[in-house]
Structures are given as structure tokens and as C-alpha cells.
Amino acid sequence: SCITAPSALRSRDPRPLPHRLHQNSNLSVASPRTFEIDYKNDCFRKDGTEFQYISGSIHYNRIPRVYWKDRLLKMYMAGLNAIQMYIPWNFHEPHPGQYVFSGDRDVMHFIQLAHDIGLLVILRPGPYICGEWDMGGLPAWLLNKKDIVLRTSDPDYINAVDKWMGKLLPMIKPFLYQNGGPIITVQVENEYGSYFACDYSYLRHLVSLFRSHLGQDVVLFSTDGAGVSYLKCGSLQGMYATVDFGPGSNVTAAFAAQRYAEPHGPLVNSEFYTGWLDHWGEQHSRVPTSAVVKTLVDMLNMGANVNLYMFIGGTNFGYWNGANGPYAPQPTSYDYDAPLTEAGDLTDKYFAIRDVIKMIPEGPPPPSTPKYAYGPVTMKKVSMHEIFSSLTVKSSNRFLYNHLPITYFFMKQFGFILYRTTLPVDCSKPTALSSPLNGVHDRAYVSVDGIAAGILERDKAISLNITGKAGSQLDVLVENMGRINYGKDINDFKGLVSNLTLGAKVLSIWTSYSLSIDEAISQGLLHGRDFKRRVPIRRPSRLLQHSVSSLPTFYSGTFSIADGIPDLPQDTYIQFPNWKKGQIWINGFNLGRYWPDRGPQITLFVPASLLSTAVLNNITVLELEGAPCAPGPCTVEFTAIPVLNATLASLRSKINALSFAVTFCVEKVIL
Ligand SMILES: *[C@@H]1O[C@H](CO)[C@@H](O)[C@H](O)[C@H]1NC(C)=O
Ligand SMILES: *[C@@H]1O[C@H](CO)[C@@H](O)[C@H](O)[C@H]1NC(C)=O
Ligand SMILES: *[C@@H]1O[C@H](CO)[C@@H](O)[C@H](O)[C@H]1NC(C)=O
Ligand SMILES: *[C@@H]1O[C@H](CO)[C@@H](O)[C@H](O)[C@H]1NC(C)=O
Ligand SMILES: *[C@@H]1O[C@H](CO)[C@@H](O)[C@H](O)[C@H]1NC(C)=O
Ligand SMILES: *[C@@H]1O[C@H](CO)[C@@H](O)[C@H](O)[C@H]1NC(C)=O
């Protein structure tokens, strides 16, 4: 093997303080720089010298830009000499040919910051990334071709990949180590050996595409599970094969798997799991520090290169979380039980890892940011009151909806889509409204004539009973809860993807409305405006009283932050006592989903950068199931303490799993 850990670590560059590096940072400095694999001595070589990295994963797309530097500095001060990062394609190309690289999406600025601080970069630009990110980073518009085979040589997929990489990789090139930048290695695809397709021509195409844009010198690599079966389809001549595995693994056996694909060269664990991901409705994942430390020491003793996944997880703001199958979406927090918390705070795990690395730069790490409990904020129903009537009332408002063709069944956007039809027959007795093919993607809030009737949920509840008269308006508001990011089901169409039946009848003649709620909020439309309702709302009859207490409804509230206190605004967390499930925006920023009814996440991280001391802060909440507002006041509450590990009421949701009752509509009302 290359060399043992302690001497390898000692051979690393002395670690100057970051501020000294700042002044030297110049991408066009012309000293000869090389980064390569030494197959003879089983190690990397940087500028001709043996080199070992200890890196940490950080996702700029999960951290507000103002905090990038703070998080990177903390990583540097832990003794890491590199970071590892994905670039999610769908974060940067929301529509074909429309690219966004500014603000929180200014990935080049992020790479430059890492460089300025003195961190090398291991880049993973996809095109597929997994990463518990919507559709594994692939843009949903790829699904415009319904039978596209993603992550293969499918010509439409390749065409889109070529265009995207033709945009991205030339921007990356000046940041390669050889060109004076921090990027030492570039990963191609991600865990491809876990995908069913096993399409070597696709991988070969990517390798030559990357080489054509980045040159022959860059070290390209692949990452796969530490098992020979994964490496079979994941590794290819021209990419250096690396593996990933977590604490508690048999390190000898895991690296033996890497040696199956790479008999010589450095040992690399590209994803050493410091923690693990969460799903709504499951226990919060925790990985003990002792287990992380033990396996880390074992790997370093073998001279291995290690990337800690994650070093900081961050937040799935907005609608960005992904999901696993059978359908299980990830929550808003991507804390990951990582060494730095979701909010960038230092943990015991951080200091324990720092002690193992023993390459501590002078001085302490930047401190955890203070948190402030702004307290409760009273929320009021936005008096236009619910989405359905707002559609009718604001029919001239192009921001709120688009009237789409009846055949438009697939949702191309994030968020919500409304399907509307009328009951073809009288259903005086409870009659099953069902999705026999489990085609509600992913959760539907059903109402008849403006009265909530219940919820359908993918893989959990495919049927509910409704009553109503022929001609009654049936509304099905479908929520996209995040596209599957892993496995064969990543072609994750959203909306109603198969027929709904009422009794034995297939319901037809739907009108679908694509709801641009985020645009409406950014226009200030859903904030305290007093719209008059026009849709007649009937009082619920006894028959109509189901478990759902109310229709999806908007609430708004404001709060001010005293400007006399010098250190405000500070970071905070928001919680939703007795609320059920929904989406929240603060000052127009889509913070994410809340779902305390299912857990385990209870609080959402609110970075200080969203808050204002100068003007009133605005909160908008879309509660989908029922706010605790009637009677009495309803409040959301800012707290200083995060709760991600509530014990769960989750089993509740599994009780009505896959109930599929069939009853038939009668032609006449029988009383
Ligand atoms: C960076 O280096 C180039 C080439 O040596 C030099 O022309 C340029 O002035 C430098 N820029 C800064 C900001 O130091
Ligand atoms: C670890 O794997 C190696 C190689 O497969 C094997 O020889 C060894 O017994 C394993 N160790 C444990 C503790 O299972
Ligand atoms: C629907 O109503 C029928 C009787 O009309 C009942 O047997 C069935 O359990 C109900 N199904 C659900 C899901 O409530
Ligand atoms: C929906 O039902 C119609 C009419 O019965 C049928 O033609 C169509 O194939 C069905 N579509 C799906 C996706 O099941
Ligand atoms: C909150 O909304 C009010 C009224 O629309 C607006 O004047 C104010 O600037 C908003 N606050 C922030 C922090 O954006
Ligand atoms: C959640 O985590 C906190 C902080 O680590 C701990 O004090 C608390 O006991 C945990 N709660 C549950 C229900 O596990």
C-alpha cells in the first residue's frame, strides 16, 4: 500500500490559516500542477508527491449562499484537505436550454470559495447524482418523452446530457487542479452498478464526453457499492473505480471489492457514511460517533483516501427532496446526523473526527451560530380561504393557474396540481373513489362541492368513500411530494398517472389546473388579501364527515424583529403545534414541507438571511389537512431548539394502507 496513515497525514501540506491563502488565490497562477494516480505505489500523486485525501461532502444546493463560507471554513478547521460535492442538473436547468447559475445556484462561486479557503474539490457533476434529491438531479422535463430510458444510451436522454455537459463542463475546466483550480478528480455518473440498465455504451459515451470538455489529464472516477456485483456494471476502463461503505463494515472485505476492479492504485471510499438519511414516517437516523471513529481509523491505517458523506447535510428547501420506493419521500431536513448539523453547528462527532484527523490548523473553528426563539406568531386564514374557490375567483389571474387540456395528465412542475370533474351519477351511499392502479402521485386531497372528503396516498391509501349528487363538483388536489431518486422507478411521473374510478365507473372529462403557488406568493397574492368567495360552500352533512377536517387552506401571519438588539436577526427553527401537513414560505422563500403529523421532523430550519429587522416579516402557510384554528387562535412558533427525532404517530398512516373497497353508485337518490 501507499504509506500508512500517520506519515501520509504528516506529508500533507502544512495548513496555513485561511486568511493568508485568500491573498494568494489566483486561478491563473502558472506553477506546474499535476494530479494523478500512481498505480505502481498504490496512491495519488499531487505535484509529484504522494497524496492522501480526507474529504467531506457538502451540497451547496442545500445551504444558503451566505453560509457557504462559514460551512467550508468549519470543514477546513476540522482538518479536511478536500470537499466532495455534487452538481444537481435540475437545479441549474429548470427548462430545456434555460440555465441558472446565480445567487444560491452560483456553483462556480462556491468552488472558488473552497479554493480560497484552501480546500481541494472532488467534483461529482452527474448527470445523475441520486443524493436524496428530486429525481436524483435529473430534470423532470426529460419525462416529456414518456418512454425515455434514463441513464442509458437512449438518444433523447443522451442529447439532453450532451447539451447540459456542453454548458457545464467548459465552466468547470478552469477550476481543474491542472489549470490552477481546486478540482483534483471528477466522478462520472453515480453508483451506476446499482442501476438495472448496465449500459456500458452509455458510460463510455460519458467518459469521452467528459474527456472532450475537460482534457486527457483529469482523473475521472466511478463510485459503487463495495461489492463485486455493483462494480461489474459500474466500472469501466478510463474511470478509476472507487467504492462506498459505512461504519461497521468489514474494511478489508470492502476494499477487496475495490481491488476486484482496480488491482492497483489508491484505496478510496468515496462515501463513508457519518450518518444516514430519513424518510417521513420513520425514526430519525442516528449513527454513533464511536462507530464512525472506529472505521475511520481502520481506513486511515490502511492509507485509504476517505470522503465523509455527509460532513454537513443541510436542508431540502422548497420542493427539492427526493424519495425512495416503495414510495417514501425524504423530509425537508437533510441533517443526516452529520458532524455539522443542518444549521452548521459543531457537534461531538465533529470534534471526534477532528481528533482522528490530527491535522488541525491553527486556531479554533468558527463557532456555532446563535439561535433565537422569536416565539409564537398568530396565523389568520387568508379569507379567499382555499385554493379551489381562489381558482374561480381569480380566473383572470394568470399567476394562479393555467387551464390545461383535458389530456394533460402529467405534472411537469413541482408542488400542486388540481384535477376537477363532476360526479356522473348520484352517490347517495358512500361510494368508493379509487385509484385501482395506485396512480395518485403522490397524495391527493379530495373534496366534493367544496367539502373535504378524504385523502388518497400513493402506496398507502388507494381508495376512499365519497357521497354526492350527479353534477357535484369533484376536486382532487394532487401534491407532488418529491420524485424518486434511486432505482428503476426514477421515471416518476406526477399527478394522476392512471384513472380514478367511482364505484365501477372510470371518471373522465377532467380539467386540470397547474397551480403556480410560488409565483402567486412572490406576487404577494396570498398574503392577507381579502378575496370574496364565489363557490357555494355547503355545510357538511353527517354523511360527509370523514377524518379530514378541512380543505387545503392558506394562512398568513406577520412578525417583527426588534431592531434595537444588535445581533438580530439570528437563525431559528419553526414548528407547527397541532398543524398537520403543508408547505411554508417565509418572506416569499419556500422553506419546505412540514408534516409533524407523521414526523420524525418537527422543526424546520430558518436561516437568519431570510429575516428582516427593518420591515414586518411575512409567513404564508398552505395547510393541506387541517389547521388548529377553529375555534381559537392558531400559531406557528419560532424556537431555538431543533427537533428532528420525534417519536412517531407514523404507524397511524399505515393502518389505512391499501384499503380498496368497491361499492356502486345508484342512479337515484334514496333517502
Ligand atoms: C494572477 O496571475 C496572473 C498571471 O501570473 C497575473 O497576470 C494577475 O495579475 C494575477 N491576478 C491577481 C489578482 O493577483
Ligand atoms: C473481513 O473480511 C475478510 C476478507 O473477506 C475476512 O478474512 C475477515 O474474516 C473478515 N472479518 C470479520 C471480522 O468478519
Ligand atoms: C366504504 O363504505 C362501505 C359501505 O358503504 C364500507 O363497507 C367500506 O368499509 C367503506 N370504505 C372505506 C374505505 O371507508
Ligand atoms: C383510463 O380509462 C379509459 C377509459 O376506460 C381507458 O381508455 C384508458 O386506457 C385508461 N387509462 C389508464 C392510464 O388506465
Ligand atoms: C411583507 O409584506 C409586506 C406587505 O406586502 C411588505 O411591505 C414587506 O416588505 C414584506 N416583508 C418582507 C421582509 O419581505
Ligand atoms: C431527540 O434528540 C435529543 C437531542 O439529541 C434528545 O435529547 C432526545 O431525547 C431525543 N428524543 C427522542 C424521542 O428520541
Side-chain angles (χ1 to χ4, degrees):
S1 89
C2 206
I3 24 178
T4 56
S7 57
L9 291 168
R10 252 178 267 123
S11 78
R12 287 162 49 181
D13 300 338
R15 316 297 306 276
L17 277 174
H19 66 260
R20 277 182 228 145
L21 271 166
H22 264 285
Q23 292 138 19
N24 292 339
S25 137
N26 184 342
L27 281 182
S28 47
V29 163
S31 59
R33 290 157 67 97
T34 57
F35 194 88
E36 15 180 41
I37 291 172
D38 178 346
Y39 287 97
K40 202 164 157 233
N41 297 296
D42 294 335
C43 60
F44 287 115
R45 277 188 189 275
K46 180 166 153 288
D47 303 330
T49 309
E50 285 166 355
F51 176 80
Q52 177 188 26
Y53 68 70
I54 302 178
S55 151
S57 285
I58 172 170
H59 298 160
Y60 64 96
N61 43 305
R62 289 182 158 122
I63 300 169
R65 178 186 172 120
V66 292
Y67 279 134
W68 287 352
K69 193 172 173 187
D70 173 78
R71 310 306 191 245
L72 289 168
L73 262 176
K74 284 169 177 162
M75 294 176 80
Y76 180 86
M77 298 305 279
L80 304 177
N81 56 0
I83 59 163
Q84 191 215 54
M85 56 182 283
Y86 283 130
I87 297 182
W89 178 3
N90 56 6
F91 200 53
H92 296 284
E93 193 178 355
H95 304 286
Q98 181 198 308
Y99 303 104
V100 188
F101 285 103
S102 57
D104 285 347
R105 299 178 201 212
D106 189 350
V107 58
M108 303 308 150
H109 177 65
F110 182 80
I111 294 171
Q112 179 67 53
L113 272 177
H115 185 61
D116 291 349
I117 285 169
L119 290 161
L120 296 165
V121 172
I122 297 156
L123 191 73
R124 312 207 287 172
Y128 166 83
I129 63 164
C130 191
E132 290 73 65
W133 190 255
D134 188 77
M135 213 169 141
L138 298 176
W141 49 257
L142 289 169
L143 301 176
N144 287 348
K145 182 194 176 191
K146 290 214 166 91
D147 56 354
I148 194 165
V149 188
L150 300 167
R151 304 177 69 195
T152 69
S153 304
D154 184 309
D156 295 279
Y157 174 70
I158 292 291
N159 188 28
V161 168
D162 288 355
K163 281 190 190 142
W164 162 237
M165 289 300 169
K167 173 77 184 172
L168 177 69
L169 296 180
M171 296 167 78
I172 293 299
K173 192 174 181 186
F175 290 90
L176 294 178
Y177 188 79
Q178 294 82 341
N179 301 333
I183 300 172
I184 49 172
T185 59
V186 177
Q187 184 182 310
V188 180
E189 247 278 351
N190 189 60
E191 295 184 338
Y192 191 65
S194 301
Y195 194 55
F196 71 90
C198 199
D199 182 346
Y200 293 115
S201 339
Y202 165 56
L203 284 189
R204 263 194 297 274
H205 176 82
L206 289 182
V207 170
S208 61
L209 180 68
F210 278 42
R211 290 241 172 265
S212 73
H213 289 295
L214 300 177
Q216 295 307 310
D217 293 341
V218 62
V219 173
L220 298 181
F221 73 103
S222 62
T223 299
D224 277 291
V228 168
S229 60
Y230 298 118
L231 286 153
K232 274 193 175 135
C233 291
S235 61
L236 190 80
Q237 193 71 33
M239 301 187 287
Y240 188 71
T242 75
V243 291
D244 52 22
F245 58 90
S249 301
N250 181 332
V251 173
T252 314
F255 282 131
Q258 190 197 352
R259 282 280 175 253
Y260 158 85
E262 298 291 353
H264 301 287
L267 297 176
V268 181
N269 183 349
S270 289
E271 291 187 4
F272 174 60
Y273 305 108
T274 60
W276 197 246
L277 56 118
D278 282 349
H279 295 116
W280 289 117
E282 292 174 11
Q283 293 292 346
H284 176 54
S285 300
R286 284 223 181 266
V287 173
T289 296
S290 56
V292 173
V293 163
K294 183 181 176 307
T295 306
L296 180 60
V297 167
D298 287 352
M299 288 188 292
L300 295 180
N301 282 340
M302 294 173 79
N305 298 269
V306 180
N307 172 67
L308 302 155
Y309 186 100
M310 299 294 303
F311 202 84
I312 170 167
T315 309
N316 297 312
F317 293 113
Y319 306 115
W320 284 114
N321 69 277
N324 282 303
Y327 192 72
Q330 295 115 18
T332 303
S333 173
Y334 195 63
D335 179 271
Y336 213 82
D337 197 25
L340 293 171
T341 70
E342 174 178 20
D345 291 348
L346 308 164
T347 65
D348 292 348
K349 201 176 270 180
Y350 175 95
F351 289 104
I353 288 169
R354 191 173 184 253
D355 286 348
V356 171
I357 298 175
K358 293 197 194 79
M359 257 323 271
I360 302 162
E362 297 166 47
S368 298
T369 54
K371 307 293 182 298
Y372 195 82
Y374 300 98
V377 177
T378 299
M379 301 296 289
K380 283 197 300 230
K381 199 180 259 193
V382 176
S383 64
M384 70 178 183
H385 168 81
E386 30 83 0
I387 293 178
F388 309 127
S389 54
S390 74
L391 283 169
T392 313
V393 172
K394 296 300 289 180
S395 59
S396 61
N397 181 356
R398 68 196 169 90
F399 293 112
L400 220 49
Y401 77 94
N402 302 303
H403 191 150
L404 296 162
I406 289 157
T407 51
Y408 185 92
F409 273 95
F410 299 123
M411 178 179 188
K412 297 180 184 180
Q413 60 177 52
F414 295 97
F416 302 86
I417 189 165
L418 174 66
Y419 296 85
R420 175 171 283 174
T421 189
T422 50
L423 296 187
V425 289
D426 284 336
C427 302
S428 59
K429 286 201 182 132
T431 303
L433 175 73
S434 304
S435 174
L437 299 178
N438 193 19
V440 172
H441 289 190
D442 305 295
R443 210 157 188 266
Y445 308 88
V446 177
S447 65
V448 179
D449 281 339
I451 307 291
I455 293 170
L456 298 172
E457 186 175 341
R458 180 177 182 179
D459 291 351
K460 288 207 163 61
I462 62 167
S463 185
L464 62 82
N465 282 339
I466 60 169
T467 54
K469 293 200 163 116
S472 290
Q473 179 174 290
L474 175 68
D475 280 344
V476 180
L477 179 73
V478 179
E479 178 187 10
N480 166 0
M481 292 203 293
R483 293 183 183 85
I484 288 181
N485 58 263
Y486 176 80
K488 65 178 170 37
D489 297 323
I490 51 170
N491 293 47
D492 193 4
F493 295 94
K494 295 301 188 184
L496 294 179
V497 305
S498 62
N499 286 321
L500 290 190
T501 55
L502 183 64
K505 258 190 155 61
V506 170
L507 287 170
S508 55
I509 324 182
W510 293 92
T511 305
S512 56
Y513 301 85
S514 175
L515 306 180
S516 309
I517 294 170
D518 289 82
E519 286 177 40
I521 286 171
S522 69
Q523 305 283 319
L525 284 177
L526 293 172
H527 201 82
R529 290 283 192 82
D530 201 16
F531 295 125
K532 237 187 157 174
R533 256 185 305 154
R534 280 210 211 112
V535 171
I537 304 289
R538 296 189 321 200
R539 301 187 73 79
S541 73
R542 253 172 236 281
L543 266 182
L544 288 167
Q545 281 168 359
H546 294 275
S547 56
V548 179
S549 43
S550 81
L551 292 172
T553 306
F554 284 99
Y555 295 84
S556 72
T558 56
F559 69 103
S560 59
I561 300 174
D563 59 0
I565 307 171
D567 290 336
L568 294 184
Q570 290 174 359
D571 289 349
T572 183
Y573 300 91
I574 191 164
Q575 61 189 4
F576 304 82
N578 298 316
W579 298 65
K580 293 201 158 154
K581 181 187 199 304
Q583 197 83 25
I584 175 166
W585 293 257
I586 294 190
N587 292 326
F589 180 86
N590 188 338
L591 198 65
R593 307 168 206 274
Y594 65 91
W595 201 356
D597 205 37
R598 193 159 291 181
Q601 181 177 6
I602 301 298
T603 57
L604 269 60
F605 174 54
V606 183
S609 51
L610 297 180
L611 304 176
S612 169
T613 48
V615 293
L616 276 182
N617 294 283
N618 304 309
I619 305 177
T620 308
V621 167
L622 170 58
E623 167 60 49
L624 296 162
E625 296 184 28
C629 301
C634 51
T635 57
V636 295
E637 189 176 0
F638 289 101
T639 158
I641 297 169
V643 180
L644 301 175
N645 62 342
T647 48
L648 296 177
S650 64
L651 289 176
R652 218 187 298 153
S653 69
K654 289 175 185 151
I655 290 168
N656 50 6
L658 295 174
S659 59
F660 181 27
V662 183
T663 56
F664 293 91
C665 284
V666 289
E667 296 295 326
K668 287 196 170 102
V669 184
I670 303 162
L671 287 170

